[in-house]
Amino acid sequence: MRINYNVAAMITNNNLANNDSAVAKSLQRLSSGLKINSAKDNPAGLAMAKRMNAQLMGLSMANQNASDGVSIIETADGAMSEISEMLQRMNELAMKAANGVESDSDREVIQDEVKQLTAEITRVADSTEFNGQRLLNGEFSLKGYVDASTATANINVKVYSYSSEVEKKVYEIDELKVNTDPVTGEYKVEMTLDANNGGFPKDVTASFKDNLVTLKAVNGFEMTLDVSKCGNPPFTIENLKLDATGIGAMRLQVGANEGQVLEINIPKISLREMGLETKFVKNENGQEIWTLDVSTEDAATEAIDRIEGAIHFISGVRGQLGAYQNRLESTINSLDITSENMTGAYSRIMDVDMAEEMTNYTTAQVMTQAATSMLAQANERPSQVLQLLQ
């Protein structure tokens, strides 16, 4: 028997330390509810779980972004609903003014109401906002466009609107002529492009109406140029460059990763866009504003056709926004499902099985108690040497 080194006690003490460490780990997991409390518990699992957690946080914010997008669309649609109602009233007034029974004084009264309605349409379009950003003034449709010329003579020409088929690049027109046909009185547009077609589709055509030059192609390409400051036809524009490199709509981040965005294009709502600018009048402050002319029978007849086009325009924009809203609501549902599934995966990695861990804790606790008792017995063994010394 040896008394200097009690090997049995050392072995028992090591086992006691291990059992005590196991009890401590079980207590930590049971109290936190987590299977991984530090990197040493499961390095690979911790790295995977933290990536998943980042995705979960991103999905939660993307869900909020998509919900904000729905709110924006509802705000814009509510404003256009009122504009649509005003257009319906203007249509009734135009039909009344086109009736030959009405006198000139009657049409003056009708014209006054039409003036107020067009002024209100302009006010609603300019003042509809969400979070301090105006929605219907074209800021989410023409964002990025600059004045469309590098030549001094063409400084007043700029892009007015565009379709989604317009690519992000610079388009060039060598010469653009707008003339009046001497026989029919209709406007005729001639366009000269370079050998590369100026970057436009090969079948692009041009037309002129209401001081706007519209470029169209069969693939849906459409770009409208505001040439109101060039004067009345005939006029010629040379070396015209249209910078469309910065075009873009309102971008909603609807995913947890880069590039997972949804672009919402909200076209500009104005009297010009709807084709209702036909007459200059003065408002209550003495300022000249555009309105729709219904002061004569012929003007009222033309106004009926213009109002019909405006109603179709507003209905088309509302339909487009409605499609965006349906898409966003589907996106929200998809994000919810993805978040649920990823949360389940994250839970399987990080969360502790309480029943299993309680079993481990009980086992480790019993082993600790047993090791403590055996350590006491091992510490008593050297005292047996005293019997040999008696």
Side-chain angles (χ1 to χ4, degrees), residues 147-333:
D147 283 352
S149 176
T150 56
T152 304
N154 299 328
I155 195 171
N156 293 323
V157 180
K158 63 180 181 180
V159 176
Y160 187 72
S161 65
Y162 64 92
S163 65
S164 59
E165 288 76 14
V166 176
E167 298 180 15
K168 297 183 179 181
K169 60 183 180 181
V170 176
Y171 295 87
E172 298 184 6
I173 300 176
D174 290 344
E175 188 177 68
L176 183 69
K177 292 183 178 179
V178 181
N179 296 309
T180 304
D181 191 307
V183 178
T184 63
E186 298 180 351
Y187 295 116
K188 181 180 180 181
V189 181
E190 298 179 0
M191 187 167 55
T192 304
L193 304 175
D194 58 24
N196 297 321
N197 214 47
F200 292 96
K202 292 183 179 180
D203 54 352
V204 66
T205 59
S207 61
F208 177 83
K209 183 179 180 181
D210 294 338
N211 294 320
L212 298 175
V213 173
T214 303
L215 309 176
K216 289 185 177 181
V218 293
N219 67 342
F221 177 99
E222 183 172 341
M223 181 185 293
T224 306
L225 311 179
D226 184 354
V227 294
S228 58
K229 295 185 178 180
C230 294
N232 295 323
F235 57 79
T236 301
I237 305 171
E238 298 179 348
N239 300 322
L240 185 61
K241 292 185 178 181
L242 310 174
D243 186 356
T245 55
I247 66 176
M250 180 175 61
R251 302 177 72 227
L252 298 178
Q253 181 70 35
V254 293
N257 302 316
E258 180 184 3
Q260 295 178 344
V261 299
L262 173 61
E263 294 188 350
I264 296 180
N265 178 28
I266 305 179
K268 183 176 183 179
I269 305 299
S270 68
L271 297 180
R272 170 171 288 188
E273 286 286 343
M274 293 184 286
L276 301 180
E277 287 188 353
T278 59
K279 183 179 182 181
F280 258 133
V281 297
K282 289 186 177 182
N283 61 14
E284 293 78 3
N285 299 323
Q287 299 173 329
E288 288 190 334
I289 60 172
W290 280 103
T291 190
L292 182 67
D293 187 11
V294 292
S295 58
T296 64
E297 186 175 340
D298 290 339
T301 302
E302 180 185 353
I304 295 174
D305 182 61
R306 287 181 175 269
I307 294 172
E308 181 181 1
I311 292 173
H312 286 314
F313 174 77
I314 291 295
S315 299
V317 174
R318 293 186 67 188
Q320 179 182 349
L321 292 183
Y324 281 134
Q325 183 171 347
N326 289 337
R327 182 177 177 182
L328 281 172
E329 290 176 351
S330 297
T331 299
I332 291 172
N333 293 334

Side-chain angles (χ1 to χ4, degrees), residues 1 26 42 52 83 103 108 114 127 151 167 184 212 234 240 299 301 332 335 343 348:
M1 299 182 69
S26 290
N42 187 347
M52 284 188 177
I83 291 176
S103 64
E108 288 180 4
V114 169
S127 62
E167 298 180 15
T184 63
L212 298 175
L240 185 61
T301 302
I332 291 172
L335 289 171
T343 300
R348 283 189 287 272

